[in-house]
Amino acid sequence: NRIDILENHQTMQTLVSAANLPIARWLSAPDKPLVLAQQAVVAHIGQKLQNQNGVIGVNGPPGTGKTTLLCDVIANVITDRAKRLASLSAPHEIFNDSILIAGKKFFPIKAGIVRDSSIVVSSNNNNAVKNISQELPALNKIHEKYVDDALYFNEVIEGVFDNQNVKNENNERLPTWGLIAAALGNSSNKSSFANAFFKEFVEDKDEKENSPPVFLSMKQVLENSINQFSEIRKNWHIEKKEFIELLNEFEQNRSILKDAEQAEELRSECIDQINGLSHSILQYEQKLQAENRNLELIQTSLKEQEVLINSKQQVLMLMQRNNDLNILDKILAVFGVVTHRMQQFRYKITEETESLQMFSQKFESEIKAKNQKENDIQKIKLEISESKKQLAKFEKQHSQIEE
């Protein structure tokens, strides 16, 4: 049941409609959104995989935007998780009760918060994985407009990248913006990540000019934040409020777009109806003209037939009144003897009578045709009148939509 959305415009329209509009997008340039087909893929993934298991294949040669659209998928996953966090009344509610692991106390994050919010990138090509795990946290992956507001434990991912020896094309340290992805998989990657992410202590920074930079681990970042707990909690509530307001604004805009789509759909239907009715009216009017011409021909023929019938009737009356029969022809006829004159007279009378009957029958037939034609014309006029009423209704509706 494969559907080519580039050919099936209805399916494409459904996928990119306001109802399926993704709630988030990657922090790329504001004036460079995904192209239409990419938007459709992101919407389809959101529809099919948000609340159920499944597999969706996204195929394409290198450079066609697969990773680009994946970034928007990731943005939506992050936003879904943020919605769950925003449902909490206080930030500490994200944690379950403490548990002991290897003699140490841990507070695990509630499964409902992080469920279905992680993405594993797997490939038989290590470079393909690196392209994503090392590209997404890079500073140049987001637009400069968002850098100041988007920083997300960038000091931690910088330490991870340094420990994993991640460099740019100039073999320099790669500037980062956020702890959003990391290369794991094999034991070497996992070990280097853990050493940077969980390390206990910060080394003293060497005062030498070329000494390597010192990076903080997540543990150290959190420990450094203990003294700022009240301020951080206050900021959390501020950010939560702003986030919820943005969600509400988004849904309000979605509702406006839905109304606009419905209006456009109705407008399109009105235009189709207007065009269809206008075409029908034109056809009816052409048909009416043709029927009127046929009626005129029938009426002309009836007048001619009427003249011929009157003429035949006059001829028959004259023949009956003025004939060459004498008294003897008539007397003999009474006794069944038909003279030659009587035979000739009867022949002419019969001929004229039959001719009159033929013209009379044709006249009656054309009278019926005329009546039928007048009925047909009346029906066409009614169809035109009704179509014009419908046309006026849709034109008014279309005008109201345009306003």
Side-chain angles (χ1 to χ4, degrees), residues 352-368:
E352 288 298 325
T353 301
E354 289 177 351
S355 178
L356 177 60
Q357 288 175 343
M358 183 187 70
F359 282 114
S360 296
Q361 289 173 352
K362 185 176 180 181
F363 183 81
E364 290 176 359
S365 176
E366 293 198 355
I367 285 289
K368 291 180 180 179

Side-chain angles (χ1 to χ4, degrees), residues 269-322:
E269 289 177 0
C270 284
I271 291 175
D272 290 342
Q273 290 287 349
I274 289 170
N275 291 338
L277 287 167
S278 298
H279 182 67
S280 295
I281 290 171
L282 179 61
Q283 287 185 318
Y284 282 134
E285 288 177 341
Q286 291 173 344
K287 186 176 181 180
L288 180 62
Q289 291 176 355
E291 295 292 353
N292 281 326
R293 287 194 295 269
N294 291 335
L295 180 61
E296 289 176 3
L297 292 174
I298 292 173
Q299 289 172 332
T300 300
S301 177
L302 282 171
K303 290 178 181 179
E304 294 173 353
Q305 292 295 321
E306 191 173 6
V307 171
L308 286 172
I309 288 171
N310 289 334
S311 174
K312 291 290 182 181
Q313 288 174 338
Q314 291 294 327
V315 170
L316 191 58
M317 289 174 61
L318 289 174
M319 287 178 62
Q320 290 174 338
R321 184 183 305 160
N322 304 320

Side-chain angles (χ1 to χ4, degrees), residues 1 23 33 112 115 128 137 168 179 211 256 280 296 321 347 397:
N1 296 326
I23 200 169
R115 182 182 296 117
N168 62 17
L179 182 61
S211 63
I256 292 171
S280 295
E296 289 176 3
R321 184 183 305 160
Y347 175 77
Q397 194 173 12

Side-chain angles (χ1 to χ4, degrees), residues 26 28 32-34 38 42 64-73 135 141:
W26 188 256
S28 52
K32 295 180 180 179
L34 299 180
Q38 290 175 317
V42 173
T64 54
K66 298 184 297 299
T67 304
T68 301
L69 71 85
L70 179 60
C71 288
D72 272 38
V73 174
E135 177 182 344
K141 189 59 181 177

Side-chain angles (χ1 to χ4, degrees), residues 367-393:
I367 285 289
K368 291 180 180 179
K370 170 181 170 292
N371 292 337
Q372 183 61 48
K373 195 63 66 179
E374 287 174 341
N375 288 335
D376 292 342
I377 288 173
Q378 189 60 32
K379 288 180 181 178
I380 294 172
K381 287 181 177 179
L382 289 174
E383 292 286 354
I384 291 175
S385 176
E386 184 61 30
S387 295
K388 286 184 175 180
K389 288 179 183 178
Q390 291 292 318
L391 178 61
K393 183 186 78 172

Side-chain angles (χ1 to χ4, degrees), residues 23 79 82-84 86 240-253:
I23 200 169
T79 305
K83 289 167 68 176
R84 299 174 198 171
K240 170 186 170 180
K241 182 174 180 291
E242 291 181 358
F243 177 71
I244 292 174
E245 288 173 351
L246 284 172
L247 285 179
N248 292 335
E249 182 182 351
F250 176 85
E251 292 303 332
Q252 288 172 1
N253 290 333

Side-chain angles (χ1 to χ4, degrees), residues 41-55:
V41 172
V42 173
H44 183 59
I45 291 172
Q47 280 183 324
K48 295 297 182 182
L49 301 183
Q50 186 172 24
N51 298 312
Q52 62 184 7
N53 296 326
V55 176

